[in-house]
């Protein structure tokens, strides 16, 4: 089977490509790129004029909920949502029931991903047994079974000695420890950013300091001990500054930011029913949405490479778990399907350029887990055809009823997005396609 994608803007930040041309796919691989006039007679031709074609997006951080919480999401629905969001490889966090904390569960997970997954899924395993924060997992065994990194995400690695042990192992294994930075004594049950809004609503605040203190600890430890550290969902100005300073000193560290921390603030926690203001549970997320100053710092960090990549932290929940009292409602945002639309605001507003955005969704995350079986995200001939095609100017309105994810929990319901994924290919096969005109 041959597929010719015609007249797209080809962006590949590994090859340093940004030009208009064609991409030819034969069976599972890209076989030619450029102006292609010669191709087999039975080639299927798709016109992608005015669209961008890039290597498939990689998401280092999502929650698929299966096994254990299939009412929130399954591997099937989560990976369909990933395909709709242009993600061809996603990394699943281990806070399932049971958690992915031994090699046998990694093996079982890989079988499930293979059977039900629409896109490539790579398992992240726990740092500690049961994510309980005390006993280190068999990191070597987990890596040998196919884990691509280690995280107790949802829970921070609070114990200094556990973090030391994990970092020491990570340097032998070559896979990252992915820490959710939150000093639990300082966040102290906080449910939203500590500031004027938490005061206004009378809710317990989760201060920036609680994140920054653990970012600082982790950076100090990796500077002193070595190891392979990746910092999850950075949310504050201070964290960006700390990572910037560490990188300038040559500390080996990588960091991610989510689409929501890059584009919306704690003000999304306010919602208006006519003139009446109320609190919006859909904006409850961990770490919390922060101030405009924090958003600007993270965007700047993304632009200059202090933040290496974008990760969705897709955290689907049932409406029942999100509703009710704000204090008891679940933390998390369903983010796979709105990621690109949200992020394109940064491009349309000239905060970052399109090449940087593509880089932070492809090569950036790849570099964090490149010591695994993951394929380098590139469109160069010979590569596996995992590809994303998006229209950077397509207007649409967020309607969670249309999400393929079971998680309808979004704080940007009803908002206008400019930029949409039109087609996602895995090994040359279209796994998501939308309104792309076919010539033949
Ligand atoms: Zn987390």
């Amino acid at each position: 089977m041959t597929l010719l994608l015609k007249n797209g803007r080809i962006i590949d930040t590994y090859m340093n490509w940004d030009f208009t041309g064609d991409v030819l796919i034969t069976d599972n691989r890209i076989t030619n790129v450029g102006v292609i006039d010669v191709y087999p007679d039975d080639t299927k031709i798709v016109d992608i004029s005015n669209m961008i074609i890039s290597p498939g997006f990689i998401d280092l951080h999502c929650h698929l909920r299966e096994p254990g919480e299939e009412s929130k999401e399954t591997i099937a629905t989560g990976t369909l949502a990933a395909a709709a969001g242009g993600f061809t490889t996603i990394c699943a966090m281990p806070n399932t029931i049971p958690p992915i904390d031994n090699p046998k569960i990694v093996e079982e997970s890989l079988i499930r991903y293979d059977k039900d997954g629409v896109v490539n899924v790579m398992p992240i395993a726990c740092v500690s047994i049961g994510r309980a924060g005390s006993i280190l997992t068999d990191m070597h065994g987990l890596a040998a079974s196919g884990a691509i990194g280690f995280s107790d995400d949802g829970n921070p690695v609070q114990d200094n000695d556990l973090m030391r042990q994990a970092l020491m192992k990570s340097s032998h294994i070559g896979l990252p420890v992915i820490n959710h930075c939150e000093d639990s004594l300082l966040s102290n049950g906080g449910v939203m950013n500590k500031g004027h809004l938490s005061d206004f609503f009378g809710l317990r605040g989760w201060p920036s300091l609680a994140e920054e203190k653990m970012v600082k600890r982790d950076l100090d430890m990796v500077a002193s001990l070595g190891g392979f550290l990746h910092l999850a969902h950075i949310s504050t100005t201070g964290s960006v500054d700390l990572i910037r300073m560490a990188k300038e000193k040559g500390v080996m560290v990588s960091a991610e930011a989510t689409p929501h921390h890059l584009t919306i603030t704690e003000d999304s926690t306010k919602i208006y029913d006519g003139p009446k203001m109320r609190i919006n549970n859909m904006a409850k997320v961990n770490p919390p949405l922060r101030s405009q100053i924090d958003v600007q710092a993270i965007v700047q960090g993304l632009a200059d490479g202090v933040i290496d990549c974008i990760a969705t932290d897709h955290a689907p929940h049932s409406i029942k778990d999100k509703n009710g009292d704000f204090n008891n409602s679940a933390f998390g945002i369903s983010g796979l399907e709105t990621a690109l639309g949200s992020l394109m605001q940064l491009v349309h507003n000239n905060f970052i350029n399109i090449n940087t955005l593509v880089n932070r969704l492809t090569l950036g995350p790849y570099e964090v887990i490149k010591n695994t079986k993951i394929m380098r995200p590139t469109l160069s001939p010979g590569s596996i055809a995992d590809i994303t095609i998006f229209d950077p100017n397509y207007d649409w309105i967020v309607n969670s009823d249309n999400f393929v994810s079971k998680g309808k929990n979004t704080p940007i319901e009803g908002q206008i997005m400019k930029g949409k994924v039109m087609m996602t290919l895995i090994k040359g096969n279209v796994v998501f396609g939308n309104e792309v005109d076919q010539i033949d």
Side-chain angles (χ1 to χ4, degrees):
M1 191 204 114
T2 318
L3 175 66
L4 181 60
L5 301 164
K6 206 95 187 102
N7 277 319
R9 180 173 170 188
I10 297 167
I11 298 184
D12 176 332
T13 63
Y14 176 69
M15 298 299 287
N16 270 319
W17 285 347
D18 182 356
F19 61 91
T20 299
D22 315 326
V23 175
L24 187 70
I25 298 162
T26 309
D27 299 322
N28 300 327
R29 287 182 190 273
I30 296 165
T31 44
N32 198 359
V33 176
V35 177
I36 301 170
D37 298 318
V38 181
Y39 43 83
D41 287 343
D42 58 352
T43 299
K44 194 163 129 187
I45 303 171
V46 176
D47 179 16
I48 55 166
S49 299
N50 303 315
M51 294 189 202
I52 292 171
I53 175 167
S54 79
F57 301 160
I58 299 166
D59 186 3
L60 289 182
H61 190 148
C62 70
H63 299 274
L64 292 179
R65 307 298 189 206
E66 182 181 350
E69 293 185 294
E70 287 84 351
S71 62
K72 293 176 189 268
E73 193 77 292
T74 63
I75 292 161
T77 57
T79 56
L80 278 168
F87 294 91
T88 55
T89 296
I90 61 175
C91 301
M93 279 294 174
N95 61 335
T96 45
I97 306 168
I100 305 176
D101 66 357
N102 71 59
K104 190 162 170 288
I105 302 180
V106 173
E107 285 159 19
E108 288 167 3
S109 301
L110 285 167
I111 292 168
R112 284 171 195 262
Y113 299 155
D114 206 39
K115 183 170 141 287
D116 294 336
V118 178
V119 304
N120 308 306
V121 186
M122 306 184 99
I124 298 168
C126 301
V127 172
S128 68
I129 302 284
R131 300 171 56 246
S134 52
I135 303 163
L136 196 70
T137 51
D138 171 13
M139 286 173 58
H140 281 283
L142 290 163
S145 305
I148 58 92
F150 306 93
S151 183
D152 281 353
D153 186 55
N155 296 340
V157 179
Q158 203 76 54
D159 184 277
N160 290 340
D161 192 56
L162 183 70
M163 191 63 181
R164 181 192 63 79
Q165 293 174 48
L167 285 173
M168 303 298 278
K169 293 264 183 189
S170 75
S171 55
H172 297 138
I173 299 168
L175 299 180
V177 176
I178 304 169
N179 201 14
H180 165 127
C181 289
E182 174 183 355
D183 185 309
S184 307
L185 289 173
L186 289 172
S187 61
N188 191 24
V191 291
M192 67 179 295
N193 185 39
K194 186 169 177 58
H196 68 283
L197 265 179
S198 63
D199 290 347
F200 174 81
F201 284 119
L203 292 167
R204 195 184 285 259
W206 186 145
S208 297
L209 180 65
E211 174 173 306
E212 291 153 7
K213 194 147 180 291
M214 192 168 282
V215 166
K216 173 108 176 44
R217 179 204 68 173
D218 286 358
L219 292 170
D220 287 348
M221 287 184 89
V222 83
S224 156
L225 303 167
F228 208 142
L229 174 67
H230 178 73
L231 300 171
H233 45 52
I234 288 305
S235 75
T236 81
T237 307
S239 296
V240 175
D241 290 345
L242 287 164
I243 299 163
R244 186 187 308 276
M245 282 188 291
K247 284 189 168 184
E248 281 168 4
K249 284 190 210 146
V251 175
M252 293 299 291
V253 61
S254 55
E256 69 189 32
T258 68
H260 46 275
H261 290 114
L262 285 159
T263 56
I264 56 177
T265 69
E266 59 191 330
D267 285 345
S268 295
T269 315
K270 294 185 291 189
I271 198 168
Y272 288 91
D273 276 334
K276 211 174 150 215
M277 195 223 286
R278 66 174 175 83
I279 197 158
N280 181 13
N281 289 21
M282 295 302 167
K284 184 178 176 186
V285 64
N286 194 8
L289 298 172
R290 304 278 187 194
S291 71
Q292 187 60 40
I293 291 168
D294 294 304
V295 170
Q296 283 167 358
I298 300 165
V299 171
Q300 187 57 48
L302 187 75
D304 57 26
V306 169
I307 303 290
D308 301 78
C309 55
I310 294 157
T312 66
D313 194 8
H314 175 71
H317 286 292
S318 64
I319 292 300
K320 183 172 144 280
D321 289 340
K322 283 299 282 187
N323 279 347
D325 180 62
F326 192 88
N327 284 304
N328 301 323
S329 110
F331 285 104
I333 290 172
S334 179
L336 284 166
E337 292 167 78
T338 53
L340 180 80
S342 294
L343 295 163
M344 281 304 298
Q345 293 169 37
L346 303 176
V347 176
H348 293 307
N349 290 326
N350 294 317
F351 297 150
I352 60 172
N353 67 45
I354 188 71
N355 299 76
T356 300
L357 178 62
V358 170
N359 180 278
R360 305 296 187 259
L361 285 165
T362 57
L363 206 57
Y366 164 79
E367 289 289 337
V368 179
I369 54 166
K370 66 183 172 190
N371 295 335
T372 66
K373 286 182 184 157
I374 191 171
M375 306 297 267
R376 178 180 279 123
T378 171
L379 300 174
S380 57
S383 307
I384 292 283
D386 287 359
I387 290 173
T388 302
I389 298 166
F390 61 98
D391 182 338
N393 295 307
Y394 188 97
D395 290 318
W396 59 288
I397 294 172
V398 177
N399 177 354
S400 59
D401 290 342
N402 297 335
F403 287 0
V404 289
S405 168
K406 287 191 183 185
K408 312 297 180 189
N409 46 308
T410 176
I412 55 171
E413 184 77 42
Q415 289 190 18
I416 299 167
M417 302 277 114
K418 193 180 181 70
K420 195 170 194 313
V421 174
M422 290 297 171
M423 208 172 174
T424 306
L425 286 83
I426 298 280
K427 294 193 176 78
N429 298 306
V430 177
V431 293
F432 172 77
N434 192 14
E435 308 204 16
V436 175
D437 297 328
Q438 233 171 273
I439 295 174
D440 292 11

